[in-house]
Amino acid sequence: ILNVEQSPQSLHVQEGDSTNFTCSFPSSNFYALHWYRWETAKSPEALFVMTLNGDEKKKGRISATLNTKEGYSYLYIKGSQPEDSATYLCAFPKAAGNKLTFGGGTRVLVKP
Amino acid sequence: GAGVSQSPRYKVAKRGQDVALRCDPISGHVSLFWYQQALGQGPEFLTYFQNEAQLDKSGLPSDRFFAERPEGSVSTLKIQRTQQEDSAVYLCASSGTDRGRDSNQPQHFGDGTRLSIL
């Protein structure tokens, strides 16, 4: 993996169901992995910044795991609600500074 | 307000016109970033400022793009002789730390400027 890749590109989820999706990134020269949520007509909002292999972070019904050795992170949404509908972006700083390389995003639509 | 403010929210220009996009970061934030998001893609890095110094402009797609932050706070992204391929959402972000620990800090984004070139 040379860049950041997210899959799937889009996801339809029934309200109340749980879901998860993937971010793959270069496993060499790892500094951190960022997750952002971007709702339509709003600004991207930081969810997590993950730095340690095996790290797991949680914010309400959303959680994320990190595997730096194999270069992937999963984001989980438990009991999806319509307000979870958004594009979820992961981003990877390629150097010690914070210039971020973003994946294409996973667009989540939660249907009532 | 307390967040990053961008103006205008929407800008329509004719091909060949010059445009200027403004970003007002969170007060006191040292680092400021500009990103370009084309339809259906993730944001792509354009340029980075630490205070008033432009430390990285490797993402600017051509010499028609110019950014400044003369007093280390408000920044302006200028696009000269706009082309249709410049149509995109332009996002500004700021973070409060110095460069050495930037990787671990989240960025705070504005709502973006949606630029349409006719």
Side-chain angles (χ1 to χ4, degrees):
Chain A
I1 298 283
L2 296 178
N3 287 306
V4 183
E5 298 177 2
Q6 291 187 249
S7 64
Q9 282 188 322
S10 65
L11 206 48
H12 287 199
V13 187
Q14 200 64 40
E15 182 177 358
D17 287 352
S18 297
T19 189
N20 66 84
F21 37 93
T22 309
C23 172
S24 301
F25 54 87
S27 54
S28 59
N29 298 321
F30 178 82
Y31 294 96
L33 194 282
H34 295 221
W35 280 102
Y36 293 86
R37 174 171 60 197
W38 194 359
E39 296 178 64
T40 303
K42 294 186 178 179
S43 57
E45 171 200 3
L47 289 173
F48 309 113
V49 178
M50 308 181 78
T51 56
L52 300 174
N53 184 43
D55 207 1
E56 185 169 340
K57 295 207 171 184
K58 189 175 181 182
K59 185 175 182 177
R61 292 177 292 96
I62 300 176
S63 61
T65 60
L66 179 68
N67 183 322
T68 61
K69 293 182 180 180
E70 296 183 32
Y72 64 83
S73 175
Y74 291 130
L75 193 127
Y76 301 88
I77 305 175
K78 184 178 178 182
S80 304
Q81 298 298 309
E83 59 265 29
D84 297 328
S85 297
T87 295
Y88 292 81
L89 294 163
C90 68
F92 179 80
K94 280 190 175 178
N98 210 359
K99 177 172 78 173
L100 296 176
T101 297
F102 282 87
T106 293
R107 187 170 180 176
V108 175
L109 179 63
V110 181
K111 297 182 286 185
Chain B
V4 177
S5 177
Q6 290 189 248
S7 61
R9 285 292 305 272
Y10 304 93
K11 176 70 179 176
V12 179
K14 292 183 179 178
R15 188 163 59 93
Q17 288 184 327
D18 298 349
V19 298
L21 312 180
R22 176 189 168 106
C23 173
D24 205 336
I26 292 173
S27 179
H29 272 194
V30 169
S31 299
L32 185 146
F33 305 84
W34 284 99
Y35 295 90
Q36 178 192 58
Q37 194 229 2
L39 191 64
Q41 299 180 22
E44 292 194 1
F45 170 80
L46 293 176
T47 187
Y48 160 64
F49 290 86
Q50 186 177 24
N51 296 308
E52 69 277 5
Q54 189 175 21
L55 298 185
D56 189 337
K57 53 181 181 180
S58 61
L60 296 176
S62 77
D63 59 8
R64 296 186 295 104
F65 287 69
F66 172 76
E68 60 182 3
R69 194 186 184 197
E71 297 178 0
S73 55
V74 171
S75 177
T76 303
L77 176 67
K78 297 178 180 177
I79 310 173
Q80 297 176 321
R81 304 181 303 282
T82 52
Q83 303 294 316
Q84 283 192 320
E85 62 263 27
D86 300 334
S87 296
V89 174
Y90 290 84
L91 289 167
C92 175
S94 69
S95 69
T97 63
D98 62 31
R99 184 181 171 89
R101 292 171 295 172
D102 269 352
S103 301
N104 298 353
Q105 301 303 313
Q107 293 186 9
H108 302 267
F109 284 85
D111 290 340
T113 294
R114 184 176 295 276
L115 176 65
S116 298
I117 305 299
L118 305 178

